[in-house]
Amino acid sequence: MENYSNFNITYPSVHPGTDVTQIEFHTETPDLRQFFLPEENNPQKRCFVTDATVATLPYMQTFVSQFDDGRCGSDLLIILGSGEPYKTIESVLSIVETALENGFSRNDLFVGIGGGVICDLTGFAASLYKRGAAVQFVPTTLLSMVDASIGGKTGCDFKSYKNMIGSFFPAQKICYFPEFISTLSEAQFRSGLAEAFKTALLYDADLYDMFRTKSSQILSREPETICTIIQKCSKAKAEVVEKDFTEKNIRKHLNLGHTFGHALETLAGLGTVTHGDAVAWGIGRAVSLSAKLDFCKESYKDEVLHILSLYGWDINPVPKIASGGGISERLIQIMHKDKKNKSDKISIVLQRGLTDTFTQEVADGDILPVLR
């Protein structure tokens, strides 16, 4: 038989969707109808995606009212159901189907207006549409402003598991209107705060000190304080994403509290507990595990738990939202299905102290005590 030589194919670094994300801060009152006026001589069609809650906000009324049966000229408006129960592959495919039925090309634009669920769904649909169309975001929740809209992670839940289907597909542009924060329910606001506090623990001692000493200003949504939080968090995440776009190394640290938190969301039923409340509980479990394994001092763990309690987050080993027997074992069983695991142990983000973070594979027997 004739000999054949083996060979490799090498590829340049790929950043699908766009090679740069433009982040804009707009301190004026949101007027999306004016903001998204069609540009002259621009042939690009736009598919706007939002949810039923965001569509009813006062800031959205002039924008939504210009659409007749979901159409305004060549632009489309899709209004999905609100919340985690609608973060499904069916929602993604409904966006794709609508764009396809209306003759969208891969050169047209998808725009997600909403929270983390809408940004994730719209970005994922754009990444799938004809192998990739452009996407932009207008985040309307604190969670999406400080975390979810940044960095190109898109996707949806599958069955009872969080974010099991998705892609890395960054937005061309992210437009912040911090005034949207005033429209949030207390639950939504606290959900975003949890991700902001996570960012403080990971990267920003000054932001951590704000959470420790300015709880009244934060909880009252003092505008300047909230804008500072958004700016600090968005810059911190952008720096990490630039260094590790596809989560091979340091971007994994952004999952602090999430391995525990995602398990709680699944156990309780997706949408029963907010993502932020679950992550905050998970942060408490992660620092408790760090202390148990002698990675961090007890004093650090105690201070983090105290700050969590200042904002009303659950710091109990067994979460209040969960019910039934064998909760600890059920949580660990779910944690084993986390997509970041590489072995029979569970990969968890831990800390040695403030801004000193690492990932560790941990055996079930070491995790169980912090869940009892």
Side-chain angles (χ1 to χ4, degrees), residues 3 11 33 39 126 183 206 256 261 276 281 337 357:
N3 291 326
Y11 300 96
R33 180 172 183 170
E39 297 179 18
T183 70
D206 290 337
L256 177 65
W281 174 79
K337 297 186 187 315
T357 310

Side-chain angles (χ1 to χ4, degrees), residues 7-111:
F7 65 97
N8 298 323
I9 302 175
T10 60
Y11 300 96
S13 178
V14 174
H15 295 274
T18 183
D19 58 1
V20 62
T21 296
Q22 181 181 351
I23 295 181
E24 297 181 350
F25 284 84
H26 299 272
T27 55
E28 69 272 18
T29 298
D31 183 352
L32 297 192
R33 180 172 183 170
Q34 196 67 28
F35 188 75
F36 283 113
L37 280 174
E39 297 179 18
E40 288 187 23
N41 304 318
N42 183 5
Q44 191 177 50
K45 298 177 181 178
R46 297 175 297 185
C47 179
F48 296 96
V49 183
T50 190
D51 67 34
T53 299
V54 175
T56 62
L57 295 177
Y59 295 143
M60 292 289 289
Q61 292 315 293
T62 58
F63 176 76
V64 172
S65 65
Q66 69 186 322
F67 290 87
D68 183 12
D69 195 26
R71 297 172 184 274
C72 179
S74 62
D75 291 339
L76 304 176
L77 175 64
I78 300 172
I79 301 177
L80 301 175
S82 301
E84 198 75 29
Y86 294 92
K87 194 177 183 182
T88 63
I89 192 63
E90 288 78 18
S91 292
V92 174
L93 294 178
S94 72
I95 300 170
V96 171
E97 182 178 15
T98 302
L100 191 60
E101 290 176 346
N102 286 273
F104 272 56
S105 76
R106 68 188 303 174
N107 296 318
D108 292 323
L109 177 67
F110 293 76
V111 183

Side-chain angles (χ1 to χ4, degrees), residues 5 15 20 41 72 81 95 102 106-107 141 217 233 242 263 267 273-274 280 316 319 372:
S5 59
H15 295 274
V20 62
N41 304 318
C72 179
I95 300 170
N102 286 273
R106 68 188 303 174
N107 296 318
T141 66
Q217 293 96 318
C233 289
E242 284 181 343
L267 179 66
V273 56
T274 69
N316 294 293
R372 289 174 169 164

Side-chain angles (χ1 to χ4, degrees), residues 290-307:
S290 298
K292 177 190 175 298
L293 298 176
D294 294 326
F295 290 126
C296 77
K297 295 179 179 178
E298 286 286 330
S299 58
Y300 176 67
K301 176 205 74 174
D302 291 342
E303 184 171 79
V304 171
L305 292 177
H306 172 68
I307 295 171

Side-chain angles (χ1 to χ4, degrees), residues 83-85 187 264-275 277-278 321-323:
E84 198 75 29
L264 175 57
E265 288 183 84
T266 297
L267 179 66
L270 294 180
T272 302
V273 56
T274 69
H275 175 68
D277 279 354
I321 194 72
S323 61

Side-chain angles (χ1 to χ4, degrees), residues 24-332:
E24 297 181 350
F25 284 84
H26 299 272
T27 55
E28 69 272 18
T29 298
D31 183 352
L32 297 192
R33 180 172 183 170
Q34 196 67 28
F35 188 75
F36 283 113
L37 280 174
E39 297 179 18
E40 288 187 23
N41 304 318
N42 183 5
Q44 191 177 50
K45 298 177 181 178
R46 297 175 297 185
C47 179
F48 296 96
V49 183
T50 190
D51 67 34
T53 299
V54 175
T56 62
L57 295 177
Y59 295 143
M60 292 289 289
Q61 292 315 293
T62 58
F63 176 76
V64 172
S65 65
Q66 69 186 322
F67 290 87
D68 183 12
D69 195 26
R71 297 172 184 274
C72 179
S74 62
D75 291 339
L76 304 176
L77 175 64
I78 300 172
I79 301 177
L80 301 175
S82 301
E84 198 75 29
Y86 294 92
K87 194 177 183 182
T88 63
I89 192 63
E90 288 78 18
S91 292
V92 174
L93 294 178
S94 72
I95 300 170
V96 171
E97 182 178 15
T98 302
L100 191 60
E101 290 176 346
N102 286 273
F104 272 56
S105 76
R106 68 188 303 174
N107 296 318
D108 292 323
L109 177 67
F110 293 76
V111 183
I113 305 172
V117 170
I118 287 295
C119 291
D120 280 9
L121 292 174
T122 307
F124 191 26
S127 76
L128 295 174
Y129 192 74
K130 299 187 177 181
R131 297 197 179 99
V135 65
Q136 297 179 7
F137 297 140
V138 180
T140 62
T141 66
L142 185 59
L143 181 105
S144 57
M145 290 183 193
V146 301
D147 186 76
S149 67
I150 307 164
K153 274 190 178 181
T154 74
C156 62
D157 304 331
F158 184 68
K159 296 187 176 179
S160 62
Y161 298 105
K162 283 278 292 185
N163 299 328
M164 277 295 149
I165 308 173
S167 62
F168 288 97
F169 198 80
Q172 285 184 340
K173 184 187 292 187
I174 306 172
C175 302
Y176 292 103
F177 292 89
E179 198 164 327
F180 272 117
I181 302 304
S182 66
T183 70
L184 299 179
S185 68
E186 192 62 25
Q188 287 179 315
F189 177 65
R190 288 175 358 103
S191 185
L193 275 186
E195 289 285 3
F197 182 56
K198 176 205 74 177
T199 302
L201 292 170
L202 292 174
Y203 307 118
D204 195 325
D206 290 337
L207 183 57
Y208 176 82
D209 200 50
M210 282 181 63
F211 272 95
R212 187 175 62 83
T213 62
K214 296 186 176 182
S215 59
S216 60
Q217 293 96 318
I218 292 172
L219 289 172
S220 65
R221 311 188 199 188
E222 196 279 317
E224 186 174 345
T225 300
I226 297 303
C227 284
T228 298
I229 290 173
I230 295 169
Q231 186 104 54
K232 280 178 168 289
C233 289
S234 59
K235 284 186 174 181
K237 185 165 184 182
E239 289 179 6
V240 173
V241 169
E242 284 181 343
K243 295 173 183 176
D244 183 21
F245 178 65
T246 55
E247 200 173 57
K248 303 298 184 188
N249 192 0
I250 58 172
R251 188 171 179 175
K252 293 179 182 179
H253 294 171
L254 292 167
N255 292 302
L256 177 65
H258 283 60
T259 303
F260 286 104
H262 282 169
L264 175 57
E265 288 183 84
T266 297
L267 179 66
L270 294 180
T272 302
V273 56
T274 69
H275 175 68
D277 279 354
V279 167
W281 174 79
I283 289 171
R285 296 306 89 214
V287 294
S288 295
L289 181 58
S290 298
K292 177 190 175 298
L293 298 176
D294 294 326
F295 290 126
C296 77
K297 295 179 179 178
E298 286 286 330
S299 58
Y300 176 67
K301 176 205 74 174
D302 291 342
E303 184 171 79
V304 171
L305 292 177
H306 172 68
I307 295 171
L308 289 169
S309 69
L310 287 178
Y311 295 86
W313 287 312
D314 188 352
I315 60 173
N316 294 293
V318 178
K320 295 176 183 177
I321 194 72
S323 61
I327 290 173
S328 303
E329 290 76 11
R330 288 157 62 197
L331 284 167
I332 286 181

